[in-house]
Amino acid sequence: AYVPPPQPKPVAKPIVVVAPKPVPVPPPVPKPVGQYRDGTYTGSVADAYYGNVQVQAIITNGRLSDVQFLDYPQDRSHSVQINTYAMPRLTSEAVQAQSANVNGVSGATATSGAFVQSLSSALALARN
């Protein structure tokens, strides 16, 4: 009698699942809260013709929150009168603009220009 030759039994090939290699993820970089780092930054001394102007920028929660005058022309009564009027306006406008890009105050051109110069240097130190 004929006996068929033994048939090889099918061998199941193992399925190899290759997991994708993990891609390294850089640690999250905390995003700055605003355009500036919190703190108090002192600007350079700027010549306002009748005296010097120097300001400090106060940064809170990444934003310009206040500007303090450390020095301003005050040895003449007229300078005091002009700056008493100009300084709060310059400060308010800078805080609103969040920069030193402010309009000059009429009658206080030299103080306005020196304010912009001093505040610009302070904000450059504070920039994120």
Side-chain angles (χ1 to χ4, degrees):
Y2 172 73
V3 177
Q7 295 291 322
K9 292 184 180 175
V11 176
K13 291 186 178 175
I15 299 173
V16 178
V17 177
V18 178
K21 289 184 180 177
V23 177
V25 177
V29 177
K31 288 199 170 186
V33 175
Q35 60 178 325
Y36 304 114
R37 288 186 306 277
D38 286 5
T40 302
Y41 300 89
T42 302
S44 60
V45 175
D47 183 8
Y49 190 73
Y50 289 104
N52 293 324
V53 169
Q54 185 176 30
V55 299
Q56 270 186 340
I58 293 100
I59 309 297
T60 309
N61 297 322
R63 295 179 51 80
L64 177 61
S65 59
D66 196 11
V67 179
Q68 298 288 319
F69 279 80
L70 302 178
D71 194 12
Y72 60 93
Q74 54 192 326
D75 60 332
R76 293 177 169 82
S77 62
H78 188 62
S79 294
V80 172
Q81 182 184 359
I82 288 170
N83 290 318
T84 300
Y85 169 80
M87 292 183 332
R89 281 159 185 75
L90 292 167
T91 298
S92 172
E93 196 170 331
V95 169
Q96 188 175 346
Q98 288 299 298
S99 75
N101 187 15
V102 297
N103 294 321
V105 174
S106 181
T109 306
T111 297
S112 298
F115 172 84
V116 167
Q117 187 178 338
S118 185
L119 182 57
S120 292
S121 68
L123 293 177
L125 298 172
R127 214 169 295 300
N128 270 323

